[in-house]
């Protein structure tokens, strides 16, 4: 195999891996973020109650204030937080969450990027096709002139 073919295959594998990562995180707001996965590996004493027991949502997902972003660890991840109660340990904590408005904004940004890319590539294809048509007609004209 040629080096360029191997590089193309590696590039496709990387693109496929990135696509899988992106689509798995966009579809569901219940997936753990990387920092939540790291937090779950810490000792049980430092583990938030919502990771080890059932909890009740005491407050809806809301945007953190500037002060909360600086002080609450849960706000640092997504800038959205919800208040939860853990009945077994009788603790009240905050849990990072994903807001539907944030998800909608991300969705529309993605849609705009895809439409833009589609328009750019459509223009490139059209220009390329015109150039190829021009070359073909010029070749036919030269062949007719040589007769």
């Amino acid at each position: 195999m040629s080096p360029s073919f191997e590089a193309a295959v590696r590039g496709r594998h990387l693109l496929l891996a990135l696509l899988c990562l992106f689509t798995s995180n966009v579809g569901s707001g219940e997936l753990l973020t990387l920092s939540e996965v790291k937090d779950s590996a810490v000792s049980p004493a430092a583990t938030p109650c919502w990771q080890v027991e059932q909890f009740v949502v005491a407050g809806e997902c809301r945007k953190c204030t500037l002060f909360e972003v600086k002080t609450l660890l849960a706000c640092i991840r997504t800038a959205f937080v919800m208040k939860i109660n853990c009945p077994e340990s009788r603790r009240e904590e905050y849990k990072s969450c994903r807001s539907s408005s944030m998800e909608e904004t991300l969705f529309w940004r993605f849609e705009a990027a895809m439409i833009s890319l589609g328009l750019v590539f459509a223009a490139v294809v059209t220009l390329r096709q015109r150039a190829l048509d021009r070359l073909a007609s010029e070749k036919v004209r030269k062949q007719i002139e040589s007769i």
Side-chain angles (χ1 to χ4, degrees):
M1 286 191 277
S2 70
S4 62
F5 178 74
E6 290 174 3
V9 169
R10 269 187 261 128
R12 286 186 185 144
H13 286 149
L14 178 64
L15 184 62
L16 182 61
L18 289 173
L19 181 65
C20 288
L21 284 172
F22 178 74
T23 55
S24 68
N25 285 333
V26 169
S28 172
E30 293 301 316
L31 293 175
L32 292 177
T33 61
L34 183 59
S35 56
E36 287 175 338
V37 170
K38 287 178 185 174
D39 286 349
S40 65
V42 272
S43 66
T47 303
C49 69
W50 54 266
Q51 286 186 338
V52 293
E53 63 183 86
Q54 294 292 323
F55 62 89
V56 178
V57 177
E60 291 185 18
C61 189
R62 63 173 176 78
K63 189 166 182 61
C64 297
T65 63
L66 290 175
F67 178 73
E68 288 174 332
V69 169
K70 294 176 184 177
T71 58
L72 286 177
L73 182 63
C75 283
I76 294 172
R77 295 183 184 112
T78 61
F80 285 87
V81 71
M82 66 179 164
K83 191 175 188 177
I84 60 165
N85 292 326
C86 299
E88 292 174 24
S89 61
R90 296 184 181 191
R91 288 170 45 190
E92 194 172 86
E93 293 186 6
Y94 289 95
K95 181 180 184 300
S96 181
C97 60
R98 301 186 104 158
S99 165
S100 60
S101 63
M102 178 181 69
E103 293 292 328
E104 184 177 4
T105 301
L106 290 173
F107 170 77
W108 286 114
R109 281 185 191 166
F110 175 76
E111 286 294 315
M114 292 302 106
I115 289 171
S116 300
L117 277 174
L119 292 173
V120 166
F121 285 117
V124 168
V125 166
T126 303
L127 292 173
R128 172 95 171 124
Q129 188 62 49
R130 285 182 185 170
L132 291 174
D133 288 346
R134 202 174 312 115
L135 287 174
S137 63
E138 192 174 312
K139 186 175 180 181
V140 168
R141 184 183 54 78
K142 283 183 182 179
Q143 287 177 348
I144 290 174
E145 284 178 358
S146 67
I147 296 179

